């Protein structure tokens, strides 16, 4: 079984964010760190080369694969900010209708610019998701 590539690293979150060339993406990343750090009550860590995560949880699949992942996190990708575990609770799915311009994937929320979404709704989603992930 292959090793999980997404692991906590010693890379600097601040240096990673400062290295983002798009000023909007850099500002959005700084804002997302504040929101997620406040909700999780944990400092950000780099997971792999491009994911900023907060806290961690252990998972184990029926297949036997297991590992650790951040409770909540994001990656400022070129096309959009990818938010992980932000739609982890049933309450969050109801809030998506109020969020603003976004798309979703299997377990991810994609936001091109934070200015396109309601910040209060996003904060509520983050808080609810952290609570749901910790309750698992």
């Amino acid at each position: 079984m292959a090793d999980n590539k997404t692991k906590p690293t010693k890379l600097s979150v601040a240096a990673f964010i400062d290295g983002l060339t798009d000023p909007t993406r850099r500002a959005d990343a700084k804002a997302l760190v504040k929101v997620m750090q406040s909700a999780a009550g944990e400092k950000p860590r780099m997971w792999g080369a491009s994911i900023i995560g907060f806290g961690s949880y252990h998972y184990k699949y029926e297949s036997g694969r297991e590992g650790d992942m951040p409770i909540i996190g994001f990656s400022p990708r070129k096309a959009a900010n990818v938010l992980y575990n932000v739609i982890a609770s049933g309450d969050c799915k109801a809030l998506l209708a109020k969020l603003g311009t976004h798309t979703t994937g299997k377990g991810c929320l994609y936001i091109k610019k934070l200015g396109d979404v309601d910040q209060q709704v996003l904060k509520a989603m983050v808080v609810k998701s952290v609570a749901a992930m910790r309750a698992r």
Side-chain angles (χ1 to χ4, degrees):
M1 201 175 310
D3 240 9
N4 189 354
K5 293 179 186 173
T6 306
K7 294 180 180 178
T9 69
K10 301 274 187 206
L11 298 173
S12 165
V13 172
F16 173 73
I17 291 173
D18 289 343
L20 298 171
T21 56
D22 182 311
T24 301
R25 191 72 72 228
R26 191 169 44 250
D28 285 357
K30 289 177 181 180
L32 284 168
V33 165
K34 287 181 183 176
V35 169
M36 291 185 176
Q37 184 170 356
S38 174
E42 308 221 19
K43 292 185 178 191
R45 290 182 73 181
M46 292 300 300
W47 287 71
S50 63
I51 296 174
I52 299 170
F54 302 81
S56 68
Y57 72 97
H58 189 77
Y59 66 87
K60 185 172 185 177
Y61 297 132
E62 287 181 22
S63 67
R65 183 177 180 91
E66 63 182 298
D68 296 300
M69 290 297 288
I71 291 173
I72 197 163
F74 73 96
S75 183
R77 309 282 175 161
K78 186 174 183 176
N81 290 300
V82 182
L83 284 67
Y84 302 100
N85 295 334
V86 176
I87 49 179
S89 80
D91 294 344
C92 290
K93 290 179 174 85
L95 289 170
L96 285 173
K98 300 176 184 179
L99 182 60
T101 306
H102 70 279
T103 57
T104 59
K106 187 173 182 178
C108 300
L109 175 65
Y110 299 88
I111 299 172
K112 289 188 186 255
K113 292 184 288 187
L114 284 186
D116 292 342
V117 299
D118 184 312
Q119 301 300 301
Q120 298 301 16
V121 172
L122 181 61
K123 285 178 187 175
M125 290 176 68
V126 169
V127 168
K128 288 176 183 288
S129 292
V130 168
M133 290 299 294
R134 285 199 169 127
R136 289 185 179 173

